[in-house]
Amino acid sequence: MASVIVMHQGLFGSRVAEKFCCLEPSASNASFPKPCFLLANELSQLNLGSPQQIRSLASRKFSSAVARAGEEDTWGSRYTCDDLENQRNSYNDPHVDLIHPVPESQAEISLKTKQWLCETNFLHKLRAVHLHVLASEQWNASRLALCHRYYVTSAANLIHYLAIKSLDIELLQDDPIGILLLNLQAINSHVLASITEGIQLYNYTNLNSLKVHENSLVESDSIESVDKQRNGDFAINAMRRRASFNRERLFGTFHDRRPAHIMATVGVEATQSESLIPDLLNNGTTMFRINCAHGDSNLWYEIIRRVKHSSQVLEKPCRILMDLAGPKLRTGKFKAGPRVIKISPKRKFNGEVDNPAQVWLLQDGACPPPTRVPPDAVLLIDGPELIVRLGPGDVLRFHDARGKERVLRIKGRLHVTGGNGFLAECSRTAYVHSGAEFYLKQKKGKHLVGRVVEVPASEPFIRLRVGDLLIISRDGLSEAGPINGAHRITCPSGYLFDSVKPGEPIYFDDGRIQGVIQGTSSSEVIVSITHAGIRGTKLGSDKSINIPESNIWFQGLTSKDLADLEFVSSCADMMGISFVRDVQDIILLRRELKQRKLENVGIILKIETRSGFENLPLLLLEAMKGPNPLGVMIARGDLAVECGWEKLAYLQEEILSICGAAHVPVIWATQVLESLIKSGVPTRAEITDVALGMRASCIMLNKGKNLVNAVSMLDATLRSKSEKTTADMVKPLVLSSRLF
């Protein structure tokens, strides 16, 4: 006799429930080959059959149906759950959920299961799914036992969700109750409770099912599970409270009626303006992000000091996320460009000046005043004459870096701290360099007002076009111009040169520039550019490099990350782990956190690679072994390049769904309202992208000159959903009684 064995001991019963479905033997003393596996997509078909079949099976039970390797066929020993787990692991198939030794071929078994499928009703299918979910929990009992008490129920629900995902649930779509399973987005946070509620609902609404209810072998177990779920940790409301608890541990409590937090990325510009941080807080920002790939600890400390001070003064709580740089490949530094700033007025289509350029002239040491509209340029002037001689209506003359004479017209004074300042206008394009001298022409001649100081060095770049050759070197500084017909940049990471091969694709700056590897050596990589803008695309320092088809190996935490970890853990509320790929990255991170006794700092797993996406459930389960608050960021820039642009929509939906099942909050990131941040006007697609992002717990904005306006619009958009203003805008449809 051969039998299919389903064994489960879930969190919902006090005993082991064993169900046996028997297959007719081909011979009474058949010799069994090695156990073959029934895959998960057949489980929904392998239910307990009709009531008659159930009664016939109930009277035939076996203590075992598997002959151990190297032994004769005996029936006196019992397989335990550990035995089943060992059998499953020996075949290294993560999708296996049941073991059944059979003398028949796999094709014959599939045929029988299909026949049983035709004979059963929807209730039996739903119960089979219920058993499969409980069995999947048992298969992963060892994983769940290692999870921290904060995450045990969330991890179990994730296992239940993955069990449902492995089934062909479309087989249930013919029945109205099938929408329970087909709409995984609605039930992913409370999978098992939804299934058992569905079973109970079907029993109450289907008279035929009530008859089955009296005869079913599994009904008592199902009802017992339903009762325990309704009043226990796995009830729907309890699971929702668990998701809310995990979100508040990481991000803090909402203090206003919004469905999501707003995170703003800030950098050195936050130290150059006294008003930026307060304006961001007043317009709805509740979290600030600092990228450790840029700047140093001195800059980070000053940003954090300003954020915490403004938060206390304004009484607006906020949290700080610091992204560790990780092993990301980036372009190297360019040679410093000239210290020149371009001042250019806005012109009409015919070339006439529409609006003169707005320039602030500040005495060296003065702080810029707060403003919502930043000027086109800020010039620091070293000279006492700036205070004594200047006033509204005066004209300053100077020669720019090209030797051309230009003028600035003083429009008024600025209210600044630590010195004096003036607002000026420039109607012609000028390139102002450090040391440029400003003169005030009067009746007695011209008088020197002051000299320009501390003009920042311009950021050099190269402009790449289709067909250009690009040479990437291991050492040195990048050159701004072509050398011998080829552009040159550097990459400080040796991983690039050890991993790529000719013919493989390579991407720069989040995919804006694409190329193909033409040749490699230990110190150089030659790339032919295959995609760029019509007029070429700029490539500067610290821009991303992606090699999605190359076999690259690196650790999740670099030496720089470990050095930055001390500062991050002492100053930030959360740390972002970049380019997480496999469980070993999480094991290394947990070890470092445990050594430093950091149990309260939040962990954000940034999913931006193919392996990171594919291993996401395992990454979450490994991270749940520790007590740290846990979250996930959908880093859509690198993720799209690594996995393919056409797959991004699917990938972000899957990440949201998996994290929803695990009760892990998600950050919706990359290019949110990017046009608004850069140009001041959003696109329609960006607004709908924000609407999709509302399903996440936090929406992140990148830095830019219109960041404050972008935060204000995002806050208004989020509030409009919570206040349900749509109902006020949509008027009732009234049909006229007249016939046309």
Side-chain angles (χ1 to χ4, degrees), residues 241-255:
R241 288 194 297 270
R242 173 58 56 180
S244 177
F245 173 76
N246 291 345
R247 181 174 60 250
E248 291 184 0
R249 283 189 69 219
L250 183 66
F251 295 149
T253 306
F254 278 118
H255 294 280

Side-chain angles (χ1 to χ4, degrees), residues 245-313:
F245 173 76
N246 291 345
R247 181 174 60 250
E248 291 184 0
R249 283 189 69 219
L250 183 66
F251 295 149
T253 306
F254 278 118
H255 294 280
D256 49 17
R257 300 179 59 184
R258 278 191 337 204
H261 287 274
I262 297 177
M263 178 184 293
T265 303
V266 292
V268 65
E269 69 281 353
T271 65
Q272 298 171 346
S273 172
E274 294 292 335
S275 62
L276 178 59
I277 299 298
D279 286 347
L280 290 173
L281 286 169
N282 285 325
N283 281 277
T285 302
T286 54
M287 282 182 280
F288 290 88
R289 170 178 172 263
I290 300 173
N291 190 348
C292 293
H294 308 290
D296 54 23
S297 57
N298 293 328
L299 173 63
W300 307 334
Y301 177 82
E302 179 60 21
I303 295 174
I304 293 172
R305 185 192 67 80
R306 291 175 180 241
V307 168
K308 291 185 176 181
H309 174 74
S310 299
S311 175
Q312 292 176 354
V313 171

Side-chain angles (χ1 to χ4, degrees), residues 400-523:
D400 70 359
R402 303 168 298 172
K404 296 184 178 295
E405 186 178 13
R406 293 292 183 262
V407 297
L408 291 176
R409 299 183 184 277
I410 305 300
K411 305 300 292 184
R413 284 185 174 272
L414 294 174
H415 298 285
V416 300
T417 58
N420 288 270
F422 295 88
L423 172 63
E425 290 184 348
C426 183
S427 299
R428 301 182 65 182
T429 301
Y431 293 83
V432 183
H433 61 284
S434 291
E437 297 179 343
F438 287 89
Y439 292 91
L440 179 62
K441 190 174 182 180
Q442 295 180 334
K443 295 181 179 180
K444 297 181 180 181
K446 62 180 183 179
H447 297 273
L448 178 64
V449 173
R451 295 180 177 86
V452 178
V453 297
E454 296 183 5
V455 174
S458 59
E459 295 184 5
F461 60 87
I462 58 176
R463 187 177 295 273
L464 296 173
R465 296 174 174 83
V466 175
D468 285 351
L469 284 180
L470 176 65
I471 300 177
I472 308 175
S473 303
R474 187 187 291 264
D475 301 316
L477 294 175
S478 301
E479 300 286 346
I483 301 176
N484 297 327
H487 294 278
R488 284 186 174 271
I489 63 171
T490 61
C491 177
S493 174
Y495 297 127
L496 173 68
F497 305 92
D498 299 334
S499 305
V500 296
K501 298 177 181 178
E504 293 178 343
I506 185 169
Y507 300 83
F508 302 92
D509 197 8
D510 288 340
R512 291 180 175 86
I513 302 172
Q514 302 174 18
V516 175
I517 305 295
Q518 296 295 324
T520 63
S521 68
S522 60
S523 60

Side-chain angles (χ1 to χ4, degrees), residues 150-162 187-191 239 242-244 246-247 616-621 624 630-632 654-666:
Y150 288 155
Y151 296 112
V152 172
T153 54
S154 299
N157 189 73
L158 173 61
I159 297 298
H160 299 160
Y161 169 81
L162 297 175
I187 71 167
N188 63 348
S189 63
H190 38 76
V191 174
M239 299 294 262
R242 173 58 56 180
S244 177
N246 291 345
R247 181 174 60 250
L616 179 56
L618 296 177
L619 297 175
L620 293 176
L621 290 173
M624 287 177 173
L630 180 62
V632 165
E654 283 297 302
I655 294 174
L656 280 171
S657 190
I658 291 173
C659 291
H663 306 151
V664 172
V666 175

